Amino acid sequence: MASIRAVLQQAQAQLNNTQQLDAIDARYESQLLLQHLLKVNRAWLIAHEHDNVAADIQHEFDTLIQRRIGGEPIAYILGQREFYGLNLAVTPATLIPRPDTEILVDIALEKIPANQSVQVLDLGTGSGAIALAIAQQRPQAQVTGIDASKHALDVAINNSQQLHITNTHFVLSDWFSALADMRFDVIVSNPPYIEAADAHLKQGDLRFEPLSALASGADGLDDIRRIINDCLVHLKPQGWLMFEHGYNQAASVTELMAEAGLVAIETFKDLGGNDRVTIGKNPLIVSTHWD
């Protein structure tokens, strides 16, 4: 039997050579996979690096490393991903939550009062990442998450139950189609926005993620157009609509929002300095409203 240290060093070398991961990332991913099998944390793994790895565990570990070498995202191998401080289950039926999407949550939270019961909608909720992050941070808000995939909704519902977040409600719907006359104070969405012919869809993690949650027509804007065209039916006066979108789509999204009659349109950058989130407001005013 080999030691934990030896097993990790071998896996690190394999990932470094085949996935072009640098030494730090290769070691980190190797540790994550072994921690997952041993059900221990990183500190335990380091403290016990001279312990031997049982033959059955090493076999399972080798299998996981081979899956990673094949390009499968580590989030799908582990079945989980951290997002906004929440440990979320993810499956191939859902997108893998990414750090840049936390920007969308930050912006939404700025528009959602902490002490009011407001209605929030997350369009295309997937694993429930955005909806659950908002609900956890704004416990008085009522957050509805919709998705056209029942398999994705099952993941989101399971996540809400595991995290004991009770101010969420998940609905099977093709965008607004199942929402009747429901109206919301804030509508957020990380919709499909990649161009259908984009070569990146056949590279890296994207090869394993659901295409329907990634690509949206020739220019990547088909779903964003649908949402913007129908948003005012479901957006309360002075309510906000906000999207995550591609780095080169801010001008197009801004134009579509303006054509629909939204105002106070603004674009925010992601962690890499790229345009990533654009928001707009329903200009209608009622006697009592919040901003």
Side-chain angles (χ1 to χ4, degrees), residues 89-108:
V90 294
T91 77
T94 68
L95 285 183
I96 300 169
R98 291 171 168 82
D100 281 339
T101 303
E102 294 188 353
I103 305 298
L104 177 59
V105 175
D106 288 338
I107 296 166

Side-chain angles (χ1 to χ4, degrees), residues 107-160:
I107 296 166
L109 293 175
E110 291 178 3
K111 301 299 183 183
I112 301 171
N115 58 353
Q116 294 183 30
S117 178
V118 300
Q119 300 293 321
V120 180
L121 175 65
D122 175 24
L123 290 168
T125 196
S127 66
I130 296 170
L132 292 167
I134 292 172
Q136 195 265 345
Q137 293 292 319
R138 294 290 185 268
Q140 292 196 40
Q142 298 300 312
V143 184
T144 299
I146 70 97
D147 206 287
S149 165
K150 183 181 183 303
H151 294 299
L153 278 186
D154 289 341
V155 175
I157 292 168
N158 175 69
N159 279 327
S160 68

Side-chain angles (χ1 to χ4, degrees), residues 175-210:
W175 300 129
F176 296 109
S177 63
L179 298 181
D181 58 353
M182 294 177 66
R183 306 187 80 189
F184 302 87
D185 300 286
V186 173
I187 299 175
V188 301
S189 184
N190 177 18
Y193 57 74
I194 300 176
E195 297 173 7
D198 193 316
H200 291 93
L201 292 169
K202 298 180 180 179
Q203 301 172 7
D205 288 0
L206 298 186
R207 293 173 296 158
F208 294 84
E209 296 183 81

